[in-house]
Amino acid sequence: MSLEYYRKRLVELRAQVTKEREAKKKDNERYAAYVKNASSPSSKASYRKQKIDHAASHDRRIESLKREIERTQETIKRERERAKRK
């Protein structure tokens, strides 16, 4: 694949990381409001657990995207080296 494709991919991945961080922030705010407005202790505990689970899910997704960014950067380096040898 072309070097241009990998550059575009890098931009897309970085945008996805930003969107995922925003989604995490919104989820945290939403679950904090749920906990604050919950009427029973058991529902508060449930919302807290859901908040932790969703935050962890977002963290895993962000880490996955970061690894994909690193792989794409390595691929760009290899493509540049290959182009120099030709």
Side-chain angles (χ1 to χ4, degrees), residues 5-47:
Y5 166 80
Y6 291 115
R7 287 185 184 138
K8 286 180 185 178
R9 178 80 174 131
L10 208 51
V11 170
E12 291 169 1
L13 288 169
R14 288 179 178 148
Q16 286 178 357
V17 168
T18 303
K19 286 173 82 175
E20 194 66 31
R21 285 186 177 141
E22 288 298 317
K24 179 182 176 184
K25 189 185 300 184
K26 286 180 183 179
D27 276 355
N28 280 341
E29 290 170 359
R30 184 171 0 110
Y31 281 106
Y34 289 164
V35 169
K36 183 178 178 182
N37 296 325
S39 57
S40 69
S42 63
S43 62
K44 278 190 181 201
S46 174
Y47 285 133

Side-chain angles (χ1 to χ4, degrees), residues 2-84:
S2 72
L3 200 55
E4 193 60 34
Y5 166 80
Y6 291 115
R7 287 185 184 138
K8 286 180 185 178
R9 178 80 174 131
L10 208 51
V11 170
E12 291 169 1
L13 288 169
R14 288 179 178 148
Q16 286 178 357
V17 168
T18 303
K19 286 173 82 175
E20 194 66 31
R21 285 186 177 141
E22 288 298 317
K24 179 182 176 184
K25 189 185 300 184
K26 286 180 183 179
D27 276 355
N28 280 341
E29 290 170 359
R30 184 171 0 110
Y31 281 106
Y34 289 164
V35 169
K36 183 178 178 182
N37 296 325
S39 57
S40 69
S42 63
S43 62
K44 278 190 181 201
S46 174
Y47 285 133
R48 284 189 182 113
K49 183 178 181 322
Q50 288 178 23
K51 180 180 176 184
I52 291 168
D53 291 344
H54 281 90
S57 174
H58 286 294
D59 289 339
R60 285 190 302 271
R61 175 81 174 126
I62 290 169
E63 289 304 313
S64 171
L65 289 167
K66 284 181 179 180
R67 285 191 302 272
E68 185 66 29
I69 287 171
E70 289 174 6
R71 282 193 296 271
T72 304
Q73 287 172 337
E74 290 298 319
T75 303
I76 288 172
K77 286 180 187 177
R78 282 195 307 272
E79 288 293 321
R80 284 185 181 151
E81 288 298 318
R82 202 177 85 196
K84 284 181 184 179

